[in-house]
Amino acid sequence: EKLQNVGLKGMSKEERTKRRRALDSLGVPPFNLFLAQKEKEGENMNSKLEPKILQRSDCQVLQLNVGLYCNQACAHCHVESSPLRTEAMTLDVAAQCIQLLKNTPSVHTLDITGGAPELNPSFRYIVAMAREIRPDLDII
């Protein structure tokens, strides 16, 4: 579908209108109105619903997926990590992530994930550099 390839902004006004009409015919409310309805649940439903606008907040958690290599092949793994997977974050990308962390003071948690992260060649570098620039950082 075009929406998946170009996003809503890449669609013409006519395409967006056609999509909205199709959703309306199915009884699907606009997203901002849906949010307002969910917020009002349990409150006085007689009051007028105003569309809710989401406001972006500062990033608090930086999650790094360092690869898919893992020394196990668990059937329940949602990313299918295994000893056969070779995808891994490079040291260059790890350094860029550390720079991002350094430039984002609102981040209080560094979540390192992906396969078995401790087996990634860049893992110790990431942890050491993160701890050096942000001693108060929670690393999980």
Side-chain angles (χ1 to χ4, degrees), residues 4-122:
Q4 290 175 333
N5 295 330
V6 299
L8 198 57
K9 289 184 179 180
M11 298 174 78
S12 69
K13 182 178 180 181
E14 292 80 17
E15 290 170 318
R16 288 191 307 273
T17 301
K18 182 178 176 183
R19 179 175 171 74
R20 182 68 256 158
R21 285 182 182 151
L23 291 170
D24 287 343
S25 72
L26 295 171
V28 177
F31 183 69
N32 290 340
L33 188 56
F34 174 80
L35 288 178
Q37 288 171 341
K38 291 297 177 187
E39 190 173 87
K40 287 278 186 187
E41 284 181 3
E43 294 180 19
N44 181 4
M45 293 304 288
N46 295 329
S47 60
K48 184 179 180 209
L49 282 177
E50 296 293 329
K52 182 169 178 62
I53 305 298
L54 291 178
Q55 299 294 323
R56 183 177 70 173
S57 61
D58 291 336
C59 178
Q60 297 178 9
V61 178
L62 176 59
Q63 185 178 58
L64 300 182
N65 187 320
V66 296
L68 295 174
Y69 176 74
C70 183
N71 57 338
Q72 300 181 55
C74 302
H76 64 269
C77 182
H78 71 285
V79 292
E80 299 178 355
S81 293
S82 78
L84 302 176
R85 302 296 297 265
T86 59
E87 301 93 335
M89 179 184 286
T90 64
L91 189 57
D92 183 51
V93 172
Q96 291 177 41
C97 292
I98 292 299
Q99 191 62 39
L100 177 66
L101 178 64
K102 186 176 183 179
N103 294 332
T104 314
S106 61
V107 170
H108 59 73
T109 302
L110 176 61
D111 179 2
I112 305 172
T113 187
E118 67 280 2
L119 298 178
N120 182 287
S122 301

